[in-house]
Amino acid sequence: MGYERQADFGTPEVRSETAVTCSIDGREVTVPAGTTVMRAAALTGGSIPKLCATDNLKQFGSCRLCLVEIDGMRGTPASCTTPVADGMKVHTQTPKLQKLRKGVMELYISDHPLDCLTCSANNDCELQDQAAAVGLRDVRYGYEGENHLGAAPDVSNPYFDFDPSKCIACSRCVRACDEVQGTLALTIEGRGFESKVSAGLASDSFLSSECVSCGACVSACPTATLQEKAVKEIGKPERSVITTCAYCGVGCTFRAEMRGEQVVRMVPWKDGKANRGHSCVKGRFAWGYAQHQERVLSPMIRESIDQPWREVSWEEALSYTAREINRIRDTYGRNALGGIVSSRCTNEEGFLVQKLIRAGFGTNNVDTCARVCHSPTGYGLKTTFGTSAGTQDFDSVEDSDVMLVIGANPTDGHPVFASRMKRRLRKGAKLIVIDPRRTDLVRSPHIEADFHLPLRPGTNVAILTALAHVIVTEGLADEAFIRERCDWDEYQHWAEFVSAERNSPEFLSPVIGVDAEAIRGAARLFATGGNGAIYYGLGVTEHSQGSSTVMAIANLAMVTGNIGRRGVGVNPLRGQNNVQGACDMGSFPHELSGYRHVSDAATRALFEAEWGVPIDPEPGLRIPNMLDAATDGEFKAIYIQGEDILQSDPDTKHVMAGLAAMECVIVHDLFLNETANYAHVFLPGSTFLEKNGTFTNAERRIQPVRKVMEPLNGYEDWQVTQELARAVGLDWNYTHPSEIMDEIARLTPTFAGVNYARLDAEGSLQWPVNAAAPDGSPIMHVDGFVRGKGKFVVTDYVPTDERTGPRFPLLLTTGRILSQYNVGAQTRRTANVIWHEEDLLEIHPTDAENRGLKSGDWVKLASRSGETTLRATVTDRVAPGVVYTTFHHPATQANVVTTDYSDWATNCPEYKVTAVQITPSNGPTEWQEDYDAQALRSRRIAGHEGAMEPAE
Amino acid sequence: MSGQMAEKLAYMVNQIARNLVHDAAPVASVADHIVAFWTPRMIDTLLAEGTSALDPVAAEAMERVKAARAAHAG
């Protein structure tokens, strides 16, 4: 589509079962009761002048431009605050109104620069539009009086500027920060003529304030006061394309606003059903990595990792790779080969990678990065409910009365959904947070958790069982729901187990480290507080009992009857943009798309008929098993698309040893990442801006990804995989990802009704989309569980084998920060580094004092696996005995210290519990220095000596 | 595969057994889990070391897997 501003109906949509009909300038319109005159007028195609109103903010009634006349009513009411009534006759354009509006506009313009032609918002400015709409021709007051025209701009934020000389004090930015984002960083300081927008204290700039750079204020601003630096530099966009963000599992949709092949800005799409017009700093602003100078655009090969890389043609790279794959298969057998599907790439790309491994390499040795994040979700929810997915859509939170957030930090990891949660919490929903760390959600403006249970890392199952103990023994179980929807015998077996004294809060309190009465209070609140919704993240899954914890969560939802309707449910917050999709696409070694086990002959027959090759009926190796088999000399080649296992996977030294033992490591990525230090083939990848496809977000929503520019490397990632498949002898001839989706739909019952035409027409679809649910499934398990009866599973607390002791007395847990994403490959190549230049170690004041540490000191972080150094920050966010860090920077290599303990059911690594010791340090360890030297050597490119080498 | 690998696999099956010990039929559950998620090579490697050093539920489950594989092969 060409460039035009997104439609704005002035005031928010109102939901009502009652309809009212009124007449606006003679045009009759029927709207839900409670709708404003302004919105009703916009719905008829009219446009009442406005400045302070916009339809994602509550009406404010301050600009006095939207006045109307209504038959039978005195005066000229503001249309933004006047609801329509049956039979109302409204006049929006009369001589009286024109005079009033012109007078108002005259006052605004008397204190506004008249530099429209050179203004960056020229022809894209609401103030300019409204001045035209009211017919302003002159300003009688002159421009010599007191004004704000000389106010200095604040250019501190890396992505947008604040120019107060252009501010009309409409408060849209302040209200957007309050209502949309929920940070409340902005305010109007002073009164009357002195009123001005301020980011916190007068001494604060936007950068030093609490502003989280979500961009809501920038989108809300009707002038050039708050504007993207990129618009100032490049100019107004000339076209826009709707696409889906490639960062977290929320799956925000954006309008990529373009000038030629250059992105001018990414603006959250108001019709996006996942984000409802909101965004975070990553999706809104941090897309510059796509053009980063360190992107590798030429294929490269080398026989040995000691050699420098050699740039070659695509043809040579692919034929070399195919020869190596065939050689290794002939020498060691097909099970010496394998691959990893990326949770960052599209569904279609993931499907092709697993198809290449199964049908081309002839093995089920395929896995995905979900192995190290949400594989326990797959196991746990499939076991209890019958399918591996969250039960709700994001809108569901609007009907939640109690939110239980466990092992998730949504304000940092899933910020756009966190804003939705905060909006509901500010309206009165209750909040229980179970987390070792005091996350921002625990206490933020107008929000305070009713219970924060700061458990010891590794005791999730204990605390969930204790909660269940209270619910069952105090008679709070929803027996009617359980009898109707669940297996009653299994429930009784489980209820007997949780009721045992050894599962009471009082008995388990010393283990959990939380007061028993607080556990009882939280249990009572969750069971009796109305609609209860559980949200969880990697703090649940990345444990030795990750799968048990997921099942304990499912038990808790079933015992309280919180499944199958809006406002309730079990909601895994997915880490990466397409974790859900990668899992759906059959990326796990034991199952084909749609979560069907490879041992199922009927399913295999379906694929064998479509693909024309036999499928191995036995499960393949998981990522950690592949690395183990490699160090044992049995696994020799791997194709890794879009994942950096050397930085993201646990026990770095073990990963290095596994990669080093392979004869052909093929990395398909944007940058020479850490894993590429051990690679023999590098295939350049494409960004989400350069490809067509779909991502599936945490609410099972399949959304289009659209190409807005040609791939700098020459090919979309699905094309690269197709060429590799052809090189190894497969006759693939896809011409567009829509054909891959058609194949997915043919082979996957839950995707049966999905195709590109429908996605284009409807914007998104939530699986299952099939004959039973032709329009998709916003809420799952409505009339019954996918597996039939819900299954209660006994989850006995088994302490991790990773124990603290005299040598390693502290527990390390890891997480992420708002401005960075995963291993930082993308966000570290943007201006986001200004907020997080390095990983820091959070340590409690008591533990810091015992070690003579203060904030900013270098510390050595040591575990049984290894040691690294980083700087400390002393904070009571973490409890005594617990330390915390992020893993966004390769210089830190936090995974050097994590162990190879893993979830019992899925081998998801136990990132969240490592026994460590912290001691003062002078700087990097010898290991870190050796690692850096090896990384530098391995990134040499023949012919580029002396040039700036691409580096992580 | 090496003895080190067998040691790791023994740890894994014991861990699985510890987590399924409260199931209605723990031995069957452990055996089913192994068959569903382990490659035949992983199973063979562990069986080659023998099951005597495993925890009782794990050992019984691996014996069951062994019998099923023998029956299937036969």
Side-chain angles (χ1 to χ4, degrees):
Chain A
M1 73 179 84
Y3 178 78
E4 55 187 34
R5 224 177 279 153
Q6 298 188 62
D8 186 345
F9 297 91
T11 62
E13 184 180 7
V14 174
R15 281 194 228 156
S16 172
E17 289 177 8
T18 312
V20 292
T21 300
C22 66
S23 156
I24 294 176
D25 296 333
R27 304 186 301 272
E28 201 163 89
V29 60
T30 300
V31 293
T35 300
T36 64
V37 169
M38 175 180 280
R39 186 175 179 90
L43 289 167
T44 67
S47 176
I48 299 174
K50 60 181 171 59
L51 283 171
C52 72
T54 185
D55 60 11
N56 66 343
L57 301 174
K58 279 185 290 202
Q59 41 272 57
F60 196 53
S62 85
C63 76
R64 314 311 296 169
L65 208 60
C66 71
L67 309 177
V68 292
E69 290 189 88
I70 299 172
D71 288 359
M73 282 178 76
R74 285 188 302 163
T76 50
S79 64
C80 68
T81 55
T82 305
V84 294
D86 250 337
M88 184 182 262
K89 286 190 165 38
V90 182
H91 308 280
T92 73
Q93 310 291 343
T94 67
K96 182 181 178 182
L97 293 171
Q98 190 180 7
K99 189 176 174 190
L100 284 170
R101 289 173 185 157
K102 201 183 280 189
V104 170
M105 184 56 80
E106 212 174 343
L107 286 167
Y108 276 117
I109 299 301
S110 71
D111 189 10
H112 192 84
L114 295 180
D115 62 350
C116 289
L117 284 181
T118 54
C119 177
S120 54
N122 186 26
N123 205 20
D124 193 17
C125 168
E126 290 184 44
L127 184 67
Q128 193 180 41
D129 292 349
Q130 301 305 345
V134 304
L136 187 70
R137 295 293 173 261
D138 62 358
V139 174
R140 291 165 295 167
Y141 310 110
Y143 302 96
E144 283 73 42
E146 199 174 354
N147 60 54
H148 300 86
L149 301 182
D154 174 352
V155 297
S156 60
N157 189 287
Y159 296 117
F160 61 86
D161 291 343
F162 171 62
D163 181 353
S165 73
K166 294 183 173 173
C167 179
I168 58 170
C170 65
S171 293
R172 274 165 64 163
C173 55
V174 178
R175 289 148 58 211
C177 193
D178 293 0
E179 296 173 29
V180 178
Q181 167 56 28
T183 295
L184 287 80
L186 304 181
T187 188
I188 296 284
E189 189 183 295
R191 293 181 153 227
F193 188 77
E194 300 301 322
S195 301
K196 62 175 185 182
V197 172
S198 170
L201 301 172
S203 56
D204 275 323
S205 66
F206 266 78
L207 188 61
S208 68
S209 74
E210 292 182 346
C211 166
V212 293
S213 296
C214 68
C217 58
V218 180
S219 295
C221 183
T223 69
T225 307
L226 281 158
Q227 192 162 51
E228 300 89 348
K229 287 182 197 286
V231 173
K232 293 193 164 183
E233 287 163 16
I234 302 168
K236 189 183 156 190
E238 46 109 13
R239 66 186 174 96
S240 65
V241 181
I242 306 297
T243 191
T244 303
C245 179
Y247 279 117
C248 77
V250 174
C252 296
T253 40
F254 280 86
R255 280 188 7 149
E257 299 189 349
M258 309 291 298
R259 175 166 283 270
E261 286 218 293
Q262 186 173 24
V263 179
V264 178
R265 61 183 170 189
M266 298 288 282
V267 180
W269 190 38
K270 292 169 71 171
D271 292 336
K273 294 189 178 80
N275 56 320
R276 302 284 179 198
H278 190 35
S279 60
C280 80
V281 61
K282 296 188 283 283
R284 179 77 153 90
F285 297 118
W287 35 266
Y289 66 88
Q291 278 82 36
H292 197 277
Q293 60 182 5
E294 289 172 1
R295 255 188 86 178
V296 179
L297 303 176
S298 300
M300 303 190 294
I301 58 174
R302 58 183 172 190
E303 284 71 35
S304 153
I305 61 168
D306 299 330
Q307 299 171 345
W309 285 106
R310 190 158 56 84
E311 289 181 332
V312 294
S313 66
W314 277 101
E315 195 178 29
E316 185 177 348
L318 292 164
S319 61
Y320 174 82
T321 309
R323 278 199 308 276
E324 280 294 280
I325 288 168
N326 291 335
R327 176 185 67 79
I328 289 168
R329 182 173 43 200
D330 294 346
T331 312
Y332 303 101
R334 58 188 172 84
N335 285 325
L337 306 170
I340 300 180
V341 171
S342 177
S343 296
R344 296 180 192 171
C345 291
T346 64
N347 286 317
E348 294 76 4
E349 287 161 348
F351 187 83
L352 285 199
V353 172
Q354 63 89 32
K355 179 176 175 178
L356 169 64
I357 306 301
R358 296 187 204 276
F361 294 4
T363 172
N364 285 327
N365 291 339
V366 59
D367 207 354
T368 174
C369 19
R371 174 65 53 210
V372 299
C373 66
H374 267 290
S375 51
T377 292
Y379 181 88
L381 296 186
K382 175 134 195 217
T383 304
T384 50
F385 296 161
T387 195
S388 305
T391 63
Q392 309 298 115
D393 62 1
F394 288 143
D395 287 351
S396 163
V397 76
E398 292 168 11
D399 291 319
S400 295
D401 300 309
V402 185
M403 292 177 215
L404 192 163
V405 180
I406 174 169
N409 183 8
T411 55
D412 283 44
H414 305 86
V416 171
F417 180 63
S419 293
R420 299 282 296 278
M421 296 171 103
K422 286 163 84 173
R423 199 178 313 168
R424 177 67 194 127
L425 290 166
R426 290 198 303 273
K427 286 182 182 169
K430 304 290 185 188
L431 175 64
I432 301 163
V433 175
I434 302 177
D435 201 294
R437 193 164 163 268
R438 194 182 68 237
T439 57
D440 283 348
L441 199 60
V442 172
R443 195 161 190 277
S444 62
H446 303 299
I447 293 171
E448 177 136 27
D450 297 85
F451 293 94
H452 173 218
L453 311 178
L455 77 176
R456 277 175 69 77
T459 61
N460 283 333
V461 170
I463 200 166
L464 288 165
T465 307
L467 290 169
H469 173 95
V470 176
I471 291 166
V472 172
T473 59
E474 294 191 6
L476 305 176
D478 186 346
E479 291 201 359
F481 176 90
I482 299 162
R483 281 183 185 280
E484 182 192 337
R485 301 286 303 275
C486 305
D487 186 301
W488 182 250
D489 290 340
E490 285 171 345
Y491 167 69
Q492 286 184 309
H493 178 59
W494 174 81
E496 189 184 345
F497 168 79
V498 299
S499 300
E501 182 53 27
R502 73 182 182 90
N503 287 319
S504 69
E506 290 72 20
F507 188 88
L508 288 171
S509 173
V511 175
I512 300 166
V514 174
D515 177 55
E517 205 44 44
I519 298 172
R520 285 195 177 270
R524 289 168 191 145
L525 174 61
F526 187 72
T528 64
N531 283 341
I534 305 175
Y535 292 92
Y536 72 88
L538 305 183
V540 157
T541 55
E542 292 175 345
H543 286 274
S544 62
Q545 283 201 292
S547 293
S548 303
T549 310
V550 173
M551 293 189 287
I553 285 170
N555 292 337
L556 204 60
M558 289 189 289
V559 74
T560 52
N562 279 310
I563 287 288
R565 61 181 189 280
R566 274 175 67 97
V568 301
V570 174
N571 304 274
L573 295 171
R574 305 284 185 162
Q576 300 192 44
N577 52 317
N578 202 36
V579 173
Q580 179 71 57
C583 298
D584 299 341
M585 292 300 102
S587 305
F588 287 132
H590 65 282
E591 59 194 10
L592 294 156
S593 64
Y595 305 99
R596 292 163 296 166
H597 201 277
V598 290
S599 63
D600 179 61
T603 301
R604 274 203 324 279
L606 198 63
F607 282 79
E608 287 168 347
E610 177 88 24
W611 294 351
V613 291
I615 306 286
D616 188 342
E618 300 281 0
L621 293 164
R622 300 165 172 178
I623 295 172
N625 309 138
M626 292 183 204
L627 294 167
D628 291 341
T631 50
D632 264 23
E634 297 198 346
F635 187 85
K636 295 291 184 183
I638 190 166
Y639 170 39
I640 306 174
Q641 185 178 72
E643 187 181 1
D644 189 0
I645 59 171
L646 185 55
Q647 196 184 342
S648 67
D649 284 31
D651 199 354
T652 304
K653 290 177 185 172
H654 180 59
V655 180
M656 283 166 66
L659 290 169
M662 296 184 206
E663 295 181 12
C664 184
V665 174
I666 306 151
V667 168
H668 180 180
D669 216 307
L670 299 175
F671 302 102
L672 275 176
N673 59 22
E674 302 306 303
T675 307
N677 296 345
Y678 291 85
H680 307 86
V681 176
F682 186 90
L683 303 175
S686 52
T687 71
F688 77 112
L689 296 168
E690 300 163 326
K691 61 173 75 163
N692 287 302
T694 56
F695 293 150
T696 306
N697 75 355
E699 45 170 8
R700 293 168 280 103
R701 188 182 298 283
I702 307 156
Q703 304 190 103
V705 177
R706 296 191 176 93
K707 184 159 80 172
V708 304
M709 58 175 72
E710 287 303 312
L712 292 176
N713 58 319
Y715 293 105
E716 301 177 41
D717 290 333
W718 66 269
Q719 292 174 308
V720 175
T721 305
Q722 169 156 285
E723 290 308 314
L724 182 56
R726 291 167 69 92
V728 298
L730 296 172
D731 184 24
W732 289 7
N733 296 291
Y734 303 103
T735 60
H736 191 271
S738 62
E739 297 165 7
I740 307 170
M741 179 55 85
D742 291 342
E743 181 173 323
I744 294 165
R746 282 196 299 276
L747 293 171
T748 317
T750 44
F751 276 65
V754 180
N755 58 59
Y756 274 40
R758 279 196 75 185
L759 288 169
D760 284 340
E762 299 175 44
S764 66
L765 289 165
Q766 286 176 275
W767 70 257
V769 189
N770 50 27
D775 296 323
S777 311
I779 311 280
M780 291 198 80
H781 316 299
V782 174
D783 299 317
F785 287 99
V786 169
R787 72 183 301 279
K789 292 284 188 184
K791 181 181 179 69
F792 279 89
V793 176
V794 170
T795 55
D796 191 22
Y797 168 58
V798 179
T800 170
D801 288 328
E802 176 69 0
R803 308 276 168 84
T804 54
R807 283 179 61 213
F808 302 106
L810 304 172
L811 283 180
L812 169 74
T813 188
T814 59
R816 64 169 71 176
I817 200 165
L818 169 68
S819 59
Q820 298 291 326
Y821 176 71
N822 205 270
V823 297
Q826 293 137 293
T827 45
R828 281 186 286 105
R829 292 184 171 90
T830 70
N832 277 26
V833 288
I834 201 167
W835 289 286
H836 188 76
E837 291 174 295
E838 59 186 323
D839 294 320
L840 296 170
L841 183 89
E842 291 187 3
I843 183 168
H844 190 271
T846 308
D847 294 323
E849 193 178 332
N850 288 343
R851 290 162 176 78
L853 299 172
K854 60 183 188 306
S855 288
D857 285 354
W858 282 97
V859 295
K860 185 169 83 176
L861 169 66
S863 75
R864 293 179 184 91
S865 290
E867 57 188 44
T868 187
T869 55
L870 68 174
R871 289 199 290 180
T873 183
V874 179
T875 172
D876 64 0
R877 267 177 178 270
V878 288
V882 176
V883 292
Y884 167 89
T885 189
T886 49
F887 57 95
H888 301 306
H889 289 268
T892 316
Q893 287 286 4
N895 281 323
V896 169
V897 297
T898 52
T899 69
D900 72 349
Y901 288 122
S902 65
D903 173 46
W904 66 270
T906 65
N907 288 133
C908 180
E910 189 176 44
Y911 288 112
K912 301 295 184 181
V913 188
T914 309
V916 295
Q917 177 59 295
I918 307 295
T919 51
S921 164
N922 292 326
T925 62
E926 198 177 317
W927 186 87
Q928 279 172 296
E929 287 175 348
D930 289 349
Y931 180 92
D932 285 347
Q934 192 276 340
L936 208 59
R937 273 197 312 277
S938 81
R939 289 182 182 131
R940 288 169 300 153
I941 301 172
H944 291 259
E945 292 83 0
M948 179 183 277
E949 291 173 0
E952 277 280 19
Chain B
M1 291 193 189
S2 68
Q4 194 184 349
M5 171 59 72
E7 196 179 318
K8 193 162 184 176
L9 293 169
Y11 176 85
M12 285 166 64
V13 72
N14 283 338
Q15 190 191 8
I16 293 163
R18 269 188 294 164
N19 278 277
L20 292 175
V21 77
H22 290 279
D23 263 36
V27 171
S29 298
V30 175
D32 288 349
H33 189 95
I34 295 298
V35 171
F37 298 108
W38 284 24
T39 64
R41 182 82 177 121
M42 289 164 71
I43 293 171
D44 291 343
T45 302
L46 183 56
L47 288 175
E49 293 290 309
T51 58
S52 55
L54 300 178
D55 294 347
V57 171
E60 206 180 325
M62 288 310 297
E63 288 299 330
R64 189 175 291 205
V65 172
K66 186 179 180 179
R69 285 175 69 75
H72 185 68

